[in-house]
Amino acid sequence: MAPKFGTSGLRGLVTELTPALVADHVAGFLAACETGGAVWVGRDLRPSSPEIAEQVIATCRGRGVDVVDAGVLPTPALAL
């Protein structure tokens, strides 16, 4: 099953979440959503999370958006 975007964000097998795909989805998010000039990035404890988070951070910074790296935390804490 190919990765898809839903209410919980980009979902798919980690082997299909390539850096280019992640960057494209982040670029789309930045184009569609008002960020106030900054994006908060969090991650969970899965082994793939640091690499995906780094791609998100690099894409945001590459587009001139400040990033707050919140590290490992539960999704509700990041939303708060």
Side-chain angles (χ1 to χ4, degrees), residues 12 20 28 35 38 42 55 57 69:
T35 66
Q55 183 61 55
I57 291 168
D69 185 351

Side-chain angles (χ1 to χ4, degrees), residues 12 20 58 61 63 65 73 79:
R61 289 184 175 153
R63 293 181 173 266
V65 176
L73 74 168

Side-chain angles (χ1 to χ4, degrees), residues 36-58:
V39 170
W40 286 65
V41 177
R43 62 185 131 303
D44 60 24
L45 296 172
R46 287 177 275 196
S48 58
S49 291
E51 185 177 331
I52 294 169
E54 284 303 316
Q55 183 61 55
V56 171
I57 291 168

Side-chain angles (χ1 to χ4, degrees), residues 2 32-33:
C33 299

Side-chain angles (χ1 to χ4, degrees), residues 5-40:
F5 191 83
T7 56
S8 297
L10 183 60
R11 311 298 280 177
L13 297 175
V14 69
T15 55
E16 296 176 339
L17 299 178
T18 65
L21 179 70
V22 172
D24 286 347
H25 278 267
V26 172
F29 171 82
L30 295 174
C33 299
E34 176 55 49
T35 66
V39 170
W40 286 65

